[in-house]
Amino acid sequence: MNFIFLGPPGAGKGSLAVKVAEDYKIPHISTGDIFRANIKAQTPLGVKVKAIIDSGSLVSDDLTCELVKDRLSKDDCKNGFILDGFPRTIPQAEMFQDICPDVAVVNFQIADEIVIKRLSTRRVCKACGANYNVLTLPPKKEGVCDKCGGEIIQRDDDKQESILHRMDVYREQTEPLIKFYTDKGKIQNFDAAIETANLLEEFKKVYPVK
């Protein structure tokens, strides 16, 4: 099964994608991961992307779609995939229709105040990247990572001013995709305010594991 996960930052797309990837035996793919992998491997596409990023420019929709198409041609995608963070815009969605017309779009619905609470209380280990939450998943010792003993910090993009900006960008660029896919009859809405385990149960009711 091929999935696109849509939703604002903090909606829990990544958390659910990890579980779905495990249970459905399909890869969880983000454009950021694709960019980094190609740059690291110095592929022809990676060389192009690095030059664009180094110049301070944005990677074009054409090149982004080319990278996604290349990634989806790999063997681990033969039974399906989860795309997280792509497409971001209508032009990307239109291009992707030609690449993969058979896709289910999962839309994570969640109130702004819940997103702000989730993200503003999120913390991360500076050394190993382990995730924490001051309300729901605090470290055993304040400010110290349980796994490696590293320093736990709040990322700049998890501070309230940055969160509000990210949500504005999402609404402007990505929310139109909801109408785009609704018009095509491809979208399924889920309540993202519930716990990930419960969300996974709801997901499997709509998309049973084959």
Side-chain angles (χ1 to χ4, degrees):
M1 284 180 280
N2 306 324
F3 297 106
I4 290 172
F5 280 12
L6 288 182
K13 299 188 299 297
S15 298
L16 184 68
V18 169
K19 299 294 185 183
V20 172
E22 288 175 359
D23 291 356
Y24 291 65
K25 304 294 188 291
I26 56 177
H28 170 210
I29 302 167
S30 76
T31 47
D33 291 339
I34 298 173
F35 288 177
R36 284 187 287 273
N38 277 271
I39 290 170
K40 184 176 181 181
Q42 296 185 332
T43 66
L45 289 172
V47 171
K48 284 184 185 179
V49 169
K50 187 175 187 304
I52 292 167
I53 292 173
D54 288 349
S55 73
S57 301
L58 295 174
V59 179
S60 70
D61 289 339
D62 286 346
L63 182 53
T64 300
C65 287
E66 197 175 343
L67 283 155
V68 170
K69 182 179 180 179
D70 176 72
R71 176 65 184 87
L72 299 185
S73 70
K74 308 302 182 189
D75 286 345
D76 65 338
C77 294
K78 64 183 178 182
N79 294 322
F81 53 81
I82 304 162
L83 281 175
D84 180 2
F86 176 90
R88 289 186 184 275
T89 64
I90 296 296
Q92 287 182 358
E94 290 173 338
M95 291 179 199
F96 189 66
Q97 283 284 115
D98 295 331
I99 296 170
C100 180
D102 180 21
V103 66
V105 182
V106 178
N107 182 39
F108 291 65
Q109 295 183 319
I110 190 166
D112 288 359
E113 56 267 27
I114 299 176
V115 168
I116 292 168
K117 184 176 180 180
R118 280 184 180 179
L119 294 182
S120 63
T121 55
R122 188 165 67 178
R123 301 292 185 269
V124 65
C125 175
K126 198 173 178 180
C128 73
N131 288 303
Y132 296 91
N133 188 288
V134 296
L135 297 178
T136 60
L137 189 65
K140 293 173 184 174
K141 183 178 179 181
E142 187 176 351
V144 180
C145 178
D146 296 345
K147 296 180 179 178
C148 75
E151 179 188 2
I152 294 175
I153 61 168
Q154 182 180 34
R155 300 187 313 177
D156 286 342
D157 61 357
D158 285 340
K159 294 176 181 176
Q160 185 155 333
E161 184 179 343
S162 179
I163 294 168
L164 293 172
H165 173 68
R166 289 164 65 195
M167 291 168 71
D168 286 342
V169 171
Y170 167 76
R171 286 194 187 91
E172 181 183 337
Q173 294 186 347
T174 314
E175 270 200 342
L177 290 170
I178 295 170
K179 183 178 186 306
F180 177 86
Y181 284 117
T182 298
D183 290 347
K184 293 186 179 300
K186 292 187 174 184
I187 205 161
Q188 182 71 40
N189 297 313
F190 288 88
D191 177 8
I194 62 177
E195 293 294 323
T196 301
N198 296 331
L199 182 54
L200 181 62
E201 286 182 17
E202 294 301 313
F203 184 90
K204 286 180 175 179
K205 289 177 185 175
V206 180
Y207 306 110
V209 180
K210 293 180 180 177

